[in-house]
PDB file of all heavy atoms in Angstrom:
ATOM      1  N   PHE A 275     -54.597   3.817  33.102  1.00 96.00           N
ATOM      2  CA  PHE A 275     -54.487   4.573  34.337  1.00 96.00           C
ATOM      3  C   PHE A 275     -53.278   5.489  34.248  1.00 96.00           C
ATOM      4  O   PHE A 275     -52.191   4.999  33.935  1.00 96.00           O
ATOM      5  CB  PHE A 275     -54.359   3.560  35.547  1.00 96.00           C
ATOM      6  CG  PHE A 275     -55.573   2.786  35.740  1.00 96.00           C
ATOM      7  CD1 PHE A 275     -55.854   1.695  34.970  1.00 96.00           C
ATOM      8  CD2 PHE A 275     -56.510   3.175  36.705  1.00 96.00           C
ATOM      9  CE1 PHE A 275     -57.023   0.963  35.165  1.00 96.00           C
ATOM     10  CE2 PHE A 275     -57.704   2.483  36.867  1.00 96.00           C
ATOM     11  CZ  PHE A 275     -57.947   1.360  36.102  1.00 96.00           C
ATOM     12  N   THR A 276     -53.466   6.787  34.535  1.00 94.00           N
ATOM     13  CA  THR A 276     -52.397   7.699  34.271  1.00 94.00           C
ATOM     14  C   THR A 276     -51.294   7.543  35.270  1.00 94.00           C
ATOM     15  O   THR A 276     -51.508   7.340  36.508  1.00 94.00           O
ATOM     16  CB  THR A 276     -52.891   9.156  34.387  1.00 94.00           C
ATOM     17  OG1 THR A 276     -53.481   9.347  35.651  1.00 94.00           O
ATOM     18  CG2 THR A 276     -53.862   9.471  33.285  1.00 94.00           C
ATOM     19  N   TYR A 277     -50.044   7.576  34.793  1.00 92.00           N
ATOM     20  CA  TYR A 277     -48.872   7.665  35.670  1.00 92.00           C
ATOM     21  C   TYR A 277     -48.393   9.095  35.392  1.00 92.00           C
ATOM     22  O   TYR A 277     -47.637   9.308  34.452  1.00 92.00           O
ATOM     23  CB  TYR A 277     -47.835   6.660  35.222  1.00 92.00           C
ATOM     24  CG  TYR A 277     -46.585   6.637  36.089  1.00 92.00           C
ATOM     25  CD1 TYR A 277     -46.665   6.313  37.434  1.00 92.00           C
ATOM     26  CD2 TYR A 277     -45.364   6.975  35.596  1.00 92.00           C
ATOM     27  CE1 TYR A 277     -45.545   6.352  38.240  1.00 92.00           C
ATOM     28  CE2 TYR A 277     -44.244   6.995  36.358  1.00 92.00           C
ATOM     29  CZ  TYR A 277     -44.335   6.646  37.685  1.00 92.00           C
ATOM     30  OH  TYR A 277     -43.204   6.684  38.512  1.00 92.00           O
ATOM     31  N   VAL A 278     -48.895  10.014  36.215  1.00 90.00           N
ATOM     32  CA  VAL A 278     -48.676  11.449  35.915  1.00 90.00           C
ATOM     33  C   VAL A 278     -47.198  11.757  36.049  1.00 90.00           C
ATOM     34  O   VAL A 278     -46.503  11.301  36.941  1.00 90.00           O
ATOM     35  CB  VAL A 278     -49.445  12.283  36.952  1.00 90.00           C
ATOM     36  CG1 VAL A 278     -49.413  13.763  36.583  1.00 90.00           C
ATOM     37  CG2 VAL A 278     -50.912  11.836  37.031  1.00 90.00           C
ATOM     38  N   THR A 279     -46.716  12.646  35.134  1.00 92.00           N
ATOM     39  CA  THR A 279     -45.311  13.077  35.253  1.00 92.00           C
ATOM     40  C   THR A 279     -45.213  14.108  36.397  1.00 92.00           C
ATOM     41  O   THR A 279     -46.132  14.921  36.538  1.00 92.00           O
ATOM     42  CB  THR A 279     -44.803  13.707  33.930  1.00 92.00           C
ATOM     43  OG1 THR A 279     -45.267  15.021  33.919  1.00 92.00           O
ATOM     44  CG2 THR A 279     -45.192  12.957  32.705  1.00 92.00           C
ATOM     45  N   PRO A 280     -44.165  14.053  37.133  1.00 94.00           N
ATOM     46  CA  PRO A 280     -43.999  14.998  38.225  1.00 94.00           C
ATOM     47  C   PRO A 280     -43.517  16.387  37.831  1.00 94.00           C
ATOM     48  O   PRO A 280     -43.158  17.188  38.702  1.00 94.00           O
ATOM     49  CB  PRO A 280     -43.030  14.354  39.181  1.00 94.00           C
ATOM     50  CG  PRO A 280     -42.271  13.436  38.318  1.00 94.00           C
ATOM     51  CD  PRO A 280     -43.035  13.104  37.138  1.00 94.00           C
ATOM     52  N   GLY A 281     -43.465  16.658  36.552  1.00 92.00           N
ATOM     53  CA  GLY A 281     -42.862  17.911  36.084  1.00 92.00           C
ATOM     54  C   GLY A 281     -43.551  19.160  36.616  1.00 92.00           C
ATOM     55  O   GLY A 281     -42.898  19.961  37.294  1.00 92.00           O
ATOM     56  N   ALA A 282     -44.838  19.288  36.372  1.00 93.00           N
ATOM     57  CA  ALA A 282     -45.561  20.507  36.786  1.00 93.00           C
ATOM     58  C   ALA A 282     -45.533  20.658  38.275  1.00 93.00           C
ATOM     59  O   ALA A 282     -45.220  21.738  38.808  1.00 93.00           O
ATOM     60  CB  ALA A 282     -46.982  20.493  36.239  1.00 93.00           C
ATOM     61  N   GLU A 283     -45.885  19.582  38.991  1.00 94.00           N
ATOM     62  CA  GLU A 283     -45.954  19.609  40.446  1.00 94.00           C
ATOM     63  C   GLU A 283     -44.602  19.929  41.036  1.00 94.00           C
ATOM     64  O   GLU A 283     -44.466  20.806  41.956  1.00 94.00           O
ATOM     65  CB  GLU A 283     -46.515  18.293  40.985  1.00 94.00           C
ATOM     66  CG  GLU A 283     -46.780  18.297  42.464  1.00 94.00           C
ATOM     67  CD  GLU A 283     -47.794  19.358  42.890  1.00 94.00           C
ATOM     68  OE1 GLU A 283     -48.691  19.699  42.083  1.00 94.00           O
ATOM     69  OE2 GLU A 283     -47.683  19.799  44.036  1.00 94.00           O
ATOM     70  N   GLY A 284     -43.549  19.320  40.516  1.00 95.00           N
ATOM     71  CA  GLY A 284     -42.196  19.582  41.040  1.00 95.00           C
ATOM     72  C   GLY A 284     -41.829  21.072  40.936  1.00 95.00           C
ATOM     73  O   GLY A 284     -41.268  21.663  41.852  1.00 95.00           O
ATOM     74  N   LEU A 285     -42.118  21.674  39.753  1.00 95.00           N
ATOM     75  CA  LEU A 285     -41.737  23.058  39.552  1.00 95.00           C
ATOM     76  C   LEU A 285     -42.536  23.975  40.507  1.00 95.00           C
ATOM     77  O   LEU A 285     -41.987  24.872  41.089  1.00 95.00           O
ATOM     78  CB  LEU A 285     -41.940  23.466  38.084  1.00 95.00           C
ATOM     79  CG  LEU A 285     -41.449  24.844  37.715  1.00 95.00           C
ATOM     80  CD1 LEU A 285     -39.921  24.940  37.874  1.00 95.00           C
ATOM     81  CD2 LEU A 285     -41.820  25.215  36.313  1.00 95.00           C
ATOM     82  N   ARG A 286     -43.848  23.661  40.603  1.00 95.00           N
ATOM     83  CA  ARG A 286     -44.719  24.440  41.541  1.00 95.00           C
ATOM     84  C   ARG A 286     -44.152  24.416  42.982  1.00 95.00           C
ATOM     85  O   ARG A 286     -44.056  25.416  43.566  1.00 95.00           O
ATOM     86  CB  ARG A 286     -46.140  23.876  41.527  1.00 95.00           C
ATOM     87  CG  ARG A 286     -47.034  24.459  40.483  1.00 95.00           C
ATOM     88  CD  ARG A 286     -48.501  24.222  40.780  1.00 95.00           C
ATOM     89  NE  ARG A 286     -48.834  22.792  40.741  1.00 95.00           N
ATOM     90  CZ  ARG A 286     -49.226  22.130  39.604  1.00 95.00           C
ATOM     91  NH1 ARG A 286     -49.292  22.810  38.498  1.00 95.00           N
ATOM     92  NH2 ARG A 286     -49.524  20.870  39.631  1.00 95.00           N
ATOM     93  N   GLN A 287     -43.780  23.178  43.414  1.00 95.00           N
ATOM     94  CA  GLN A 287     -43.208  23.057  44.747  1.00 95.00           C
ATOM     95  C   GLN A 287     -41.950  23.808  44.902  1.00 95.00           C
ATOM     96  O   GLN A 287     -41.689  24.450  45.904  1.00 95.00           O
ATOM     97  CB  GLN A 287     -43.007  21.564  45.076  1.00 95.00           C
ATOM     98  CG  GLN A 287     -44.248  20.715  45.130  1.00 95.00           C
ATOM     99  CD  GLN A 287     -45.094  21.031  46.385  1.00 95.00           C
ATOM    100  OE1 GLN A 287     -44.573  21.422  47.416  1.00 95.00           O
ATOM    101  NE2 GLN A 287     -46.362  20.802  46.279  1.00 95.00           N
ATOM    102  N   ALA A 288     -41.032  23.770  43.904  1.00 95.00           N
ATOM    103  CA  ALA A 288     -39.799  24.449  43.994  1.00 95.00           C
ATOM    104  C   ALA A 288     -40.018  25.942  44.102  1.00 95.00           C
ATOM    105  O   ALA A 288     -39.336  26.630  44.919  1.00 95.00           O
ATOM    106  CB  ALA A 288     -38.937  24.130  42.774  1.00 95.00           C
ATOM    107  N   ILE A 289     -40.950  26.507  43.305  1.00 95.00           N
ATOM    108  CA  ILE A 289     -41.218  27.957  43.409  1.00 95.00           C
ATOM    109  C   ILE A 289     -41.745  28.305  44.773  1.00 95.00           C
ATOM    110  O   ILE A 289     -41.394  29.344  45.388  1.00 95.00           O
ATOM    111  CB  ILE A 289     -42.157  28.371  42.256  1.00 95.00           C
ATOM    112  CG1 ILE A 289     -41.456  28.192  40.920  1.00 95.00           C
ATOM    113  CG2 ILE A 289     -42.604  29.840  42.406  1.00 95.00           C
ATOM    114  CD1 ILE A 289     -42.374  28.247  39.727  1.00 95.00           C
ATOM    115  N   LYS A 290     -42.664  27.422  45.239  1.00 94.00           N
ATOM    116  CA  LYS A 290     -43.231  27.636  46.531  1.00 94.00           C
ATOM    117  C   LYS A 290     -42.177  27.739  47.629  1.00 94.00           C
ATOM    118  O   LYS A 290     -42.122  28.674  48.459  1.00 94.00           O
ATOM    119  CB  LYS A 290     -44.178  26.449  46.889  1.00 94.00           C
ATOM    120  CG  LYS A 290     -45.249  26.674  47.914  1.00 94.00           C
ATOM    121  CD  LYS A 290     -46.255  25.531  47.909  1.00 94.00           C
ATOM    122  CE  LYS A 290     -46.433  25.014  49.321  1.00 94.00           C
ATOM    123  NZ  LYS A 290     -47.258  23.797  49.398  1.00 94.00           N
ATOM    124  N   PHE A 291     -41.241  26.832  47.512  1.00 95.00           N
ATOM    125  CA  PHE A 291     -40.125  26.749  48.487  1.00 95.00           C
ATOM    126  C   PHE A 291     -39.223  28.054  48.433  1.00 95.00           C
ATOM    127  O   PHE A 291     -38.834  28.601  49.389  1.00 95.00           O
ATOM    128  CB  PHE A 291     -39.262  25.498  48.257  1.00 95.00           C
ATOM    129  CG  PHE A 291     -38.116  25.369  49.250  1.00 95.00           C
ATOM    130  CD1 PHE A 291     -38.287  24.782  50.443  1.00 95.00           C
ATOM    131  CD2 PHE A 291     -36.834  25.821  48.849  1.00 95.00           C
ATOM    132  CE1 PHE A 291     -37.218  24.644  51.331  1.00 95.00           C
ATOM    133  CE2 PHE A 291     -35.776  25.695  49.761  1.00 95.00           C
ATOM    134  CZ  PHE A 291     -35.944  25.098  50.960  1.00 95.00           C
ATOM    135  N   LEU A 292     -38.984  28.434  47.158  1.00 94.00           N
ATOM    136  CA  LEU A 292     -38.109  29.603  46.973  1.00 94.00           C
ATOM    137  C   LEU A 292     -38.779  30.873  47.505  1.00 94.00           C
ATOM    138  O   LEU A 292     -38.115  31.818  47.927  1.00 94.00           O
ATOM    139  CB  LEU A 292     -37.798  29.756  45.479  1.00 94.00           C
ATOM    140  CG  LEU A 292     -36.766  28.768  44.909  1.00 94.00           C
ATOM    141  CD1 LEU A 292     -36.642  28.980  43.395  1.00 94.00           C
ATOM    142  CD2 LEU A 292     -35.409  28.949  45.554  1.00 94.00           C
ATOM    143  N   ASN A 293     -40.107  30.876  47.449  1.00 92.00           N
ATOM    144  CA  ASN A 293     -40.855  32.027  47.993  1.00 92.00           C
ATOM    145  C   ASN A 293     -40.978  31.974  49.510  1.00 92.00           C
ATOM    146  O   ASN A 293     -41.758  32.702  50.103  1.00 92.00           O
ATOM    147  CB  ASN A 293     -42.206  32.166  47.336  1.00 92.00           C
ATOM    148  CG  ASN A 293     -42.039  32.592  45.884  1.00 92.00           C
ATOM    149  OD1 ASN A 293     -41.087  33.357  45.585  1.00 92.00           O
ATOM    150  ND2 ASN A 293     -42.978  32.179  45.022  1.00 92.00           N
ATOM    151  N   GLY A 294     -40.285  31.022  50.152  1.00 92.00           N
ATOM    152  CA  GLY A 294     -40.218  31.016  51.574  1.00 92.00           C
ATOM    153  C   GLY A 294     -41.306  30.188  52.277  1.00 92.00           C
ATOM    154  O   GLY A 294     -41.433  30.251  53.510  1.00 92.00           O
ATOM    155  N   GLU A 295     -42.092  29.400  51.467  1.00 92.00           N
ATOM    156  CA  GLU A 295     -43.131  28.594  52.148  1.00 92.00           C
ATOM    157  C   GLU A 295     -42.535  27.250  52.500  1.00 92.00           C
ATOM    158  O   GLU A 295     -41.532  26.820  52.006  1.00 92.00           O
ATOM    159  CB  GLU A 295     -44.316  28.395  51.217  1.00 92.00           C
ATOM    160  CG  GLU A 295     -45.069  29.725  50.865  1.00 92.00           C
ATOM    161  CD  GLU A 295     -46.174  29.461  49.866  1.00 92.00           C
ATOM    162  OE1 GLU A 295     -46.985  28.529  50.070  1.00 92.00           O
ATOM    163  OE2 GLU A 295     -46.194  30.176  48.846  1.00 92.00           O
ATOM    164  N   LYS A 296     -43.269  26.544  53.379  1.00 92.00           N
ATOM    165  CA  LYS A 296     -42.876  25.210  53.834  1.00 92.00           C
ATOM    166  C   LYS A 296     -43.339  24.210  52.755  1.00 92.00           C
ATOM    167  O   LYS A 296     -44.427  24.319  52.217  1.00 92.00           O
ATOM    168  CB  LYS A 296     -43.525  24.874  55.186  1.00 92.00           C
ATOM    169  CG  LYS A 296     -42.754  25.304  56.352  1.00 92.00           C
ATOM    170  CD  LYS A 296     -42.139  24.101  57.069  1.00 92.00           C
ATOM    171  CE  LYS A 296     -41.189  24.470  58.233  1.00 92.00           C
ATOM    172  NZ  LYS A 296     -40.037  25.269  57.772  1.00 92.00           N
ATOM    173  N   VAL A 297     -42.479  23.156  52.472  1.00 92.00           N
ATOM    174  CA  VAL A 297     -42.927  22.126  51.576  1.00 92.00           C
ATOM    175  C   VAL A 297     -42.836  20.763  52.336  1.00 92.00           C
ATOM    176  O   VAL A 297     -41.979  20.634  53.198  1.00 92.00           O
ATOM    177  CB  VAL A 297     -42.178  22.061  50.255  1.00 92.00           C
ATOM    178  CG1 VAL A 297     -42.390  23.323  49.445  1.00 92.00           C
ATOM    179  CG2 VAL A 297     -40.732  21.822  50.558  1.00 92.00           C
ATOM    180  N   GLU A 298     -43.691  19.813  51.941  1.00 93.00           N
ATOM    181  CA  GLU A 298     -43.637  18.503  52.551  1.00 93.00           C
ATOM    182  C   GLU A 298     -42.441  17.745  52.025  1.00 93.00           C
ATOM    183  O   GLU A 298     -41.871  18.023  50.980  1.00 93.00           O
ATOM    184  CB  GLU A 298     -44.891  17.678  52.220  1.00 93.00           C
ATOM    185  CG  GLU A 298     -46.163  18.276  52.802  1.00 93.00           C
ATOM    186  CD  GLU A 298     -47.372  17.900  51.934  1.00 93.00           C
ATOM    187  OE1 GLU A 298     -47.515  16.704  51.627  1.00 93.00           O
ATOM    188  OE2 GLU A 298     -48.105  18.795  51.515  1.00 93.00           O
ATOM    189  N   LYS A 299     -42.007  16.697  52.763  1.00 93.00           N
ATOM    190  CA  LYS A 299     -40.836  15.909  52.342  1.00 93.00           C
ATOM    191  C   LYS A 299     -41.160  15.058  51.148  1.00 93.00           C
ATOM    192  O   LYS A 299     -40.330  14.839  50.268  1.00 93.00           O
ATOM    193  CB  LYS A 299     -40.433  15.043  53.533  1.00 93.00           C
ATOM    194  CG  LYS A 299     -39.129  14.336  53.304  1.00 93.00           C
ATOM    195  CD  LYS A 299     -37.933  15.186  53.585  1.00 93.00           C
ATOM    196  CE  LYS A 299     -36.622  14.487  53.196  1.00 93.00           C
ATOM    197  NZ  LYS A 299     -35.446  15.305  53.291  1.00 93.00           N
ATOM    198  N   THR A 300     -42.377  14.495  51.091  1.00 93.00           N
ATOM    199  CA  THR A 300     -42.760  13.586  50.016  1.00 93.00           C
ATOM    200  C   THR A 300     -44.124  13.933  49.467  1.00 93.00           C
ATOM    201  O   THR A 300     -45.061  14.171  50.268  1.00 93.00           O
ATOM    202  CB  THR A 300     -42.787  12.140  50.489  1.00 93.00           C
ATOM    203  OG1 THR A 300     -41.530  11.849  51.070  1.00 93.00           O
ATOM    204  CG2 THR A 300     -43.041  11.171  49.362  1.00 93.00           C
ATOM    205  N   ILE A 301     -44.227  13.963  48.148  1.00 94.00           N
ATOM    206  CA  ILE A 301     -45.565  14.130  47.532  1.00 94.00           C
ATOM    207  C   ILE A 301     -45.825  13.018  46.631  1.00 94.00           C
ATOM    208  O   ILE A 301     -44.987  12.698  45.689  1.00 94.00           O
ATOM    209  CB  ILE A 301     -45.626  15.486  46.758  1.00 94.00           C
ATOM    210  CG1 ILE A 301     -45.680  16.660  47.757  1.00 94.00           C
ATOM    211  CG2 ILE A 301     -46.824  15.509  45.852  1.00 94.00           C
ATOM    212  CD1 ILE A 301     -46.011  17.972  47.160  1.00 94.00           C
ATOM    213  N   THR A 302     -46.929  12.306  46.847  1.00 93.00           N
ATOM    214  CA  THR A 302     -47.243  11.135  45.967  1.00 93.00           C
ATOM    215  C   THR A 302     -48.349  11.597  45.028  1.00 93.00           C
ATOM    216  O   THR A 302     -49.404  12.096  45.449  1.00 93.00           O
ATOM    217  CB  THR A 302     -47.737   9.934  46.779  1.00 93.00           C
ATOM    218  OG1 THR A 302     -46.748   9.665  47.704  1.00 93.00           O
ATOM    219  CG2 THR A 302     -47.989   8.771  45.860  1.00 93.00           C
ATOM    220  N   LEU A 303     -48.122  11.502  43.760  1.00 93.00           N
ATOM    221  CA  LEU A 303     -49.055  11.929  42.732  1.00 93.00           C
ATOM    222  C   LEU A 303     -50.210  10.908  42.594  1.00 93.00           C
ATOM    223  O   LEU A 303     -49.934   9.709  42.567  1.00 93.00           O
ATOM    224  CB  LEU A 303     -48.427  12.230  41.377  1.00 93.00           C
ATOM    225  CG  LEU A 303     -47.289  13.242  41.461  1.00 93.00           C
ATOM    226  CD1 LEU A 303     -46.479  13.147  40.130  1.00 93.00           C
ATOM    227  CD2 LEU A 303     -47.877  14.621  41.649  1.00 93.00           C
ATOM    228  N   PRO A 304     -51.491  11.380  42.506  1.00 93.00           N
ATOM    229  CA  PRO A 304     -52.569  10.451  42.335  1.00 93.00           C
ATOM    230  C   PRO A 304     -52.684   9.909  40.918  1.00 93.00           C
ATOM    231  O   PRO A 304     -52.017  10.451  40.027  1.00 93.00           O
ATOM    232  CB  PRO A 304     -53.804  11.277  42.663  1.00 93.00           C
ATOM    233  CG  PRO A 304     -53.365  12.703  42.247  1.00 93.00           C
ATOM    234  CD  PRO A 304     -51.911  12.799  42.454  1.00 93.00           C
ATOM    235  N   THR A 305     -53.462   8.829  40.742  1.00 94.00           N
ATOM    236  CA  THR A 305     -53.662   8.341  39.377  1.00 94.00           C
ATOM    237  C   THR A 305     -55.129   8.589  38.963  1.00 94.00           C
ATOM    238  O   THR A 305     -55.978   8.751  39.858  1.00 94.00           O
ATOM    239  CB  THR A 305     -53.333   6.837  39.267  1.00 94.00           C
ATOM    240  OG1 THR A 305     -53.551   6.402  37.908  1.00 94.00           O
ATOM    241  CG2 THR A 305     -54.210   5.988  40.238  1.00 94.00           C
ATOM    242  N   GLN A 306     -55.355   8.580  37.692  1.00 93.00           N
ATOM    243  CA  GLN A 306     -56.734   8.826  37.182  1.00 93.00           C
ATOM    244  C   GLN A 306     -57.061   7.667  36.261  1.00 93.00           C
ATOM    245  O   GLN A 306     -56.262   7.297  35.377  1.00 93.00           O
ATOM    246  CB  GLN A 306     -56.716  10.188  36.448  1.00 93.00           C
ATOM    247  CG  GLN A 306     -58.062  10.569  35.968  1.00 93.00           C
ATOM    248  CD  GLN A 306     -58.002  11.773  34.966  1.00 93.00           C
ATOM    249  OE1 GLN A 306     -56.896  12.169  34.588  1.00 93.00           O
ATOM    250  NE2 GLN A 306     -59.129  12.214  34.515  1.00 93.00           N
ATOM    251  N   LYS A 307     -58.320   7.158  36.396  1.00 94.00           N
ATOM    252  CA  LYS A 307     -58.742   6.150  35.495  1.00 94.00           C
ATOM    253  C   LYS A 307     -59.318   6.768  34.220  1.00 94.00           C
ATOM    254  O   LYS A 307     -60.130   7.685  34.296  1.00 94.00           O
ATOM    255  CB  LYS A 307     -59.879   5.260  36.199  1.00 94.00           C
ATOM    256  CG  LYS A 307     -60.442   4.182  35.286  1.00 94.00           C
ATOM    257  CD  LYS A 307     -61.278   3.249  36.031  1.00 94.00           C
ATOM    258  CE  LYS A 307     -62.686   3.795  36.258  1.00 94.00           C
ATOM    259  NZ  LYS A 307     -63.535   2.927  37.096  1.00 94.00           N
ATOM    260  N   ILE A 308     -58.807   6.338  33.107  1.00 94.00           N
ATOM    261  CA  ILE A 308     -59.369   6.870  31.855  1.00 94.00           C
ATOM    262  C   ILE A 308     -60.057   5.772  31.098  1.00 94.00           C
ATOM    263  O   ILE A 308     -59.496   4.734  30.757  1.00 94.00           O
ATOM    264  CB  ILE A 308     -58.202   7.472  31.022  1.00 94.00           C
ATOM    265  CG1 ILE A 308     -57.680   8.714  31.734  1.00 94.00           C
ATOM    266  CG2 ILE A 308     -58.689   7.838  29.603  1.00 94.00           C
ATOM    267  CD1 ILE A 308     -56.560   9.408  31.100  1.00 94.00           C
ATOM    268  N   THR A 309     -61.363   6.008  30.829  1.00 94.00           N
ATOM    269  CA  THR A 309     -62.179   5.027  30.016  1.00 94.00           C
ATOM    270  C   THR A 309     -62.811   5.828  28.877  1.00 94.00           C
ATOM    271  O   THR A 309     -62.550   7.012  28.688  1.00 94.00           O
ATOM    272  CB  THR A 309     -63.263   4.456  30.886  1.00 94.00           C
ATOM    273  OG1 THR A 309     -64.071   5.495  31.421  1.00 94.00           O
ATOM    274  CG2 THR A 309     -62.702   3.618  31.999  1.00 94.00           C
ATOM    275  N   LYS A 310     -63.671   5.132  28.144  1.00 92.00           N
ATOM    276  CA  LYS A 310     -64.345   5.757  26.986  1.00 92.00           C
ATOM    277  C   LYS A 310     -65.060   7.057  27.365  1.00 92.00           C
ATOM    278  O   LYS A 310     -65.118   7.994  26.644  1.00 92.00           O
ATOM    279  CB  LYS A 310     -65.309   4.723  26.440  1.00 92.00           C
ATOM    280  CG  LYS A 310     -65.837   4.997  25.076  1.00 92.00           C
ATOM    281  CD  LYS A 310     -64.942   4.455  23.964  1.00 92.00           C
ATOM    282  CE  LYS A 310     -65.493   4.884  22.599  1.00 92.00           C
ATOM    283  NZ  LYS A 310     -64.647   5.355  21.682  1.00 92.00           N
TER     284      LYS A 310
END
Side-chain angles (χ1 to χ4, degrees):
Chain A
F275 294 80
T276 55
Y277 182 65
V278 188
T279 78
E283 187 57 31
L285 187 64
R286 272 198 294 273
Q287 294 287 334
I289 293 168
K290 203 168 128 186
F291 181 85
L292 287 174
N293 289 330
E295 295 175 50
K296 273 253 174 298
V297 296
E298 296 152 51
K299 187 80 185 174
T300 304
I301 288 192
T302 306
L303 299 168
T305 180
Q306 184 192 4
K307 178 168 81 186
I308 292 178
T309 56
K310 195 88 181 134

